[in-house]
Amino acid sequence: MMTGATFTRHWEIAWRGGQARSTSRLVAEETAIALTYNGSTHAVMMGTPADLEDFGIGFSLTEAIVERRSEIRSIDLIPNELGIEVRMWLDGDRAEALAARRRAISGPVGCGLCGIESLEQARRTPTRVEGRGVAFPARDLLNAMQALSPLQTLNQHTRSVHAAAFWSPRSGIGPVREDVGRHNALDKLAGAIMPDGGSACDGAVLLTSRVSVEMVQKAAMIGVPVVVAVSAPTALAIQTAKEAGITLLAIARDDGYGVFTHPRRVLLPDEAAPRPGC
């Protein structure tokens, strides 16, 4: 659901090849998005004003505020002069659990990890994914990443947003979600593919960003067995992917990628079965 323009045209002086000229370009919109539950604000993110219902649902799922979409009784998008409120009302049990979680917070939290009260929660044990018998040909995963760029509609216009997409050998790529924030894009994707608490155990998440620990944690909550990213992972992201049972592929370029964890799910051209010990 759109709640406003996702890009606008702005004037610029372009200096290229030693020459200057007056021109204009399309620029991605960024706005404040408040995620509220039962009348209280839980987090405020800067993001792209598109697919915000998916964002609210996906954030609620990946942050373990709910386990399934049905636990969100209602969701409304309320624009105002300062941004957009994603207003959600939770079922009784979930509302009480979130209220208790808020009461435990003793002080302000930093950007990036919302609504947590301890280092233990920041480094929480990831959800263990299924997909034990899933394996994909190496070339299929590379082809999926190469096919993603033309589907990034907003990025085609602005060259300034991240994308998260779901791929499966059965249905190809879809859906694709974009945002100026990489976490937001992944949350929007979660909301799009997990409306009723289902999982994504038969495919892979494709990311156009680097892989940090939060991205792996969110992927684990989605239940996806394979994550493929354009950029490099952090050391903690690799460790978390190992613990979660996620196959992590990164630094995906036109000629290939690196497999950092659980390589049994990647069928390289010269192998017919998983390698012993993997």
Side-chain angles (χ1 to χ4, degrees):
M1 178 184 295
M2 297 289 182
T3 58
T6 55
F7 59 86
T8 51
R9 186 171 293 278
H10 291 260
W11 172 82
E12 69 169 343
I13 296 175
W15 190 64
R16 297 285 187 273
Q19 296 186 348
R21 64 186 180 92
S22 179
T23 184
S24 65
R25 68 178 294 117
L26 297 176
V27 177
E29 286 293 316
E30 183 178 24
T31 192
I33 303 166
L35 298 161
T36 68
Y37 298 94
N38 292 47
S40 297
T41 299
H42 182 77
V44 178
M45 307 289 197
M46 299 305 297
T48 301
D51 302 306
L52 294 186
E53 185 168 328
D54 285 344
F55 183 35
I57 296 168
F59 180 91
S60 302
L61 291 165
T62 64
E63 295 299 320
I65 293 169
V66 300
E67 290 185 356
R68 56 187 61 84
R69 167 66 177 88
S70 59
E71 293 173 330
I72 303 174
R73 291 206 318 262
S74 66
I75 179 167
D76 297 296
L77 307 181
I78 314 296
N80 60 53
E81 66 277 9
L82 298 177
I84 303 168
E85 178 185 348
V86 181
R87 184 178 295 173
M88 292 168 280
W89 292 89
L90 305 179
D91 279 344
D93 290 346
R94 286 296 171 183
E96 291 177 9
L98 183 59
R101 177 170 162 179
R102 286 201 192 100
R103 286 193 295 270
I105 299 175
S106 58
V109 297
C111 177
L113 292 170
C114 299
I116 64 171
E117 66 269 15
S118 67
L119 292 174
E120 287 76 15
Q121 281 194 314
R123 185 61 186 92
R124 66 182 186 267
T125 301
T127 301
R128 187 80 181 177
V129 304
E130 299 298 330
R132 294 178 181 174
V134 173
F136 305 118
R139 173 55 63 177
D140 288 357
L141 293 169
L142 182 60
N143 289 344
M145 285 299 292
Q146 292 172 336
L148 177 57
S149 181
L151 303 178
Q152 296 174 240
T153 305
L154 181 56
N155 198 58
Q156 292 291 328
H157 290 302
T158 65
R159 302 295 179 186
S160 62
V161 298
H162 296 292
F166 181 71
W167 171 88
S168 73
R170 175 173 44 85
S171 57
I173 297 178
V176 178
R177 292 293 182 266
E178 296 179 276
D179 200 280
V180 292
R182 56 196 173 88
H183 304 89
N184 299 347
L186 185 53
D187 280 333
K188 288 179 178 181
L189 178 66
I193 64 178
M194 296 178 62
D196 297 308
S199 72
C201 62
D202 62 342
V205 161
L206 314 177
L207 302 173
T208 64
S209 62
R210 69 182 177 87
V211 188
S212 60
V213 61
E214 310 99 304
M215 300 295 276
V216 175
Q217 289 170 337
K218 288 178 181 290
M221 293 298 290
I222 296 171
V224 67
V226 177
V227 172
V228 190
V230 167
S231 198
T234 66
L236 188 54
I238 294 172
Q239 180 182 338
T240 304
K242 287 180 181 177
E243 295 171 358
I246 289 176
T247 299
L248 178 58
L249 284 62
I251 321 175
R253 301 290 187 262
D254 288 343
D255 61 342
Y257 44 69
V259 184
F260 288 86
T261 60
H262 301 287
R264 66 181 181 275
R265 295 196 186 96
V266 182
L267 301 178
L268 298 174
D270 60 348
E271 68 179 324
R275 283 163 287 179
C278 293

